[in-house]
Amino acid sequence: THAQSMVLLTDASGVVLHALGDAGFLERAQQIALAPGAQWSEAAKGTNAVGTALMTESATLVHGQEHYLRAMQFLTCSAAPIFDHKGALLGVIDVSGDRRSYHPHTLALAGMSARLIENQWFTDKFRQSLRLHFHPSAMGLGTLHEGVLALDEDGRVLGANRRAIELLGAAATHLRRE
């Protein structure tokens, strides 16, 4: 059987940068402009997972008829935002598939994928910097749930991953200003 789904990566404005998935499904998606180069902001296409995730900066599920465009209503789309070391939006990862084959774990998988991308980007950017890894529980270290701060030689914060911002709460707002 075919997966009848695809994965999209967009930039911060909602332009599709990359798409992969079942060849037959990719062909069908291209007919509705769900392909590299297409603009999927809410302003351009109305309610859709990519556009809503960009607007709310949170993981978003848009199922079937919740899509503004009738041509999209055969889909269920799960999108998660991707952030940089300052908490700025880099883009969105989206899993779109036939609404009849939707699985409830898809949104969680999109969210985990976004975190993996963020953490890899963070590690690459701060490869030469001192990195402080922390979590309220020692068992959380080395997982997607650990906070990571990049520090300069004087101990000033250069950047923080999304989990560090969450764990630090209000202090993260101060960090962003720094």
Side-chain angles (χ1 to χ4, degrees):
T1 65
H2 295 289
Q4 291 297 302
S5 63
M6 64 189 300
V7 177
L8 298 170
L9 179 66
T10 77
D11 67 12
S13 69
V15 173
V16 178
L17 302 174
H18 191 66
L20 58 93
D22 172 63
F25 192 81
L26 287 174
E27 206 172 288
R28 187 174 178 194
Q30 198 157 15
Q31 294 171 2
I32 55 168
L34 203 53
Q39 168 60 258
W40 281 93
S41 66
E42 279 198 351
K45 298 283 197 286
T47 302
N48 70 87
V50 168
T52 303
L54 288 170
M55 292 288 289
T56 63
E57 295 191 359
S58 62
T60 303
L61 172 71
V62 177
H63 182 65
Q65 294 183 333
E66 295 171 355
H67 287 94
Y68 176 76
L69 295 177
R70 184 167 283 125
M72 299 293 293
Q73 293 180 357
F74 74 97
L75 294 171
T76 292
C77 304
S78 300
I82 302 166
F83 297 99
D84 72 7
H85 64 289
K86 294 181 180 177
L89 195 59
L90 288 174
V92 168
I93 187 153
D94 171 85
V95 180
S96 292
D98 189 298
R99 67 176 167 26
R100 295 168 298 185
S101 61
Y102 167 69
H103 194 283
H105 295 315
T106 306
L107 186 61
L109 289 172
M112 287 175 58
S113 298
R115 295 276 175 131
L116 286 167
I117 292 166
E118 290 169 357
N119 288 344
Q120 185 61 54
W121 186 89
F122 187 90
T123 299
D124 287 348
K125 178 159 184 65
F126 295 108
R127 185 168 303 286
Q128 304 301 319
S129 302
L130 177 64
R131 291 190 308 268
L132 174 66
H133 297 249
F134 61 99
H135 190 275
S137 164
M139 290 179 43
L141 294 173
T143 71
L144 282 179
H145 303 291
E146 73 175 352
V148 184
L149 296 175
L151 308 169
D152 69 11
E153 305 79 34
D154 298 321
R156 285 188 299 262
V157 175
L158 300 171
N161 74 350
R162 187 188 335 187
R163 184 64 177 144
I165 292 169
E166 291 168 355
L167 287 170
L168 294 171
T173 308
H174 176 72
L175 285 177
R176 279 187 184 175
R177 284 195 300 266
E178 298 295 318

